[in-house]
Amino acid sequence: MTARIYQRPKNAMQSGKALLDQWILEFAPSEARRPDPLMGWPGSADTQTQVTLKFHSVDEAKAYAEKYGITATVHGTPPRRLKLQAYADNFR
């Protein structure tokens, strides 16, 4: 079983920063998705892809993965770059 650990990204549509400090452990799909014969929607019998675990720190997520024998890769968060701009800059 493999998984990835990452920090929740900021929503581009909102300025709030709630829940950005959470770390998420998601399982990788173990089988490919295939179209349903009746409706044609993609799906699989793998229920692990529906599970997302939330942790307060990356160390807690790593400890959980080690405890249950899950091979996990940690994806770091890129640094946030602020573009400070004044309203008066629009008229230069």
Side-chain angles (χ1 to χ4, degrees):
M1 216 177 345
T2 60
R4 69 181 185 129
I5 299 171
Y6 64 95
Q7 196 168 15
R8 182 186 301 265
K10 182 182 171 298
N11 187 352
M13 301 302 291
Q14 297 178 351
S15 62
K17 296 181 180 177
L19 304 176
L20 291 183
D21 55 345
Q22 288 184 349
W23 287 85
I24 299 177
L25 185 139
E26 279 186 346
F27 293 97
S30 62
E31 63 181 44
R33 300 181 132 234
R34 57 189 185 282
D36 182 55
L38 181 63
M39 298 298 289
W41 296 337
S44 70
D46 183 21
T47 58
Q48 287 291 334
T49 57
Q50 300 172 5
V51 176
T52 56
L53 302 173
K54 299 174 184 129
F55 299 95
H56 292 291
S57 69
V58 68
D59 296 328
E60 290 179 14
K62 285 181 186 177
Y64 180 87
E66 289 176 11
K67 180 179 177 181
Y68 291 102
I70 301 167
T71 306
T73 57
V74 178
H75 297 279
T77 307
R80 296 186 187 112
R81 285 179 252 134
L82 296 176
K83 182 180 177 185
L84 299 176
Q85 183 176 356
Y87 180 70
D89 293 341
N90 293 334
F91 302 103
R92 287 186 185 183

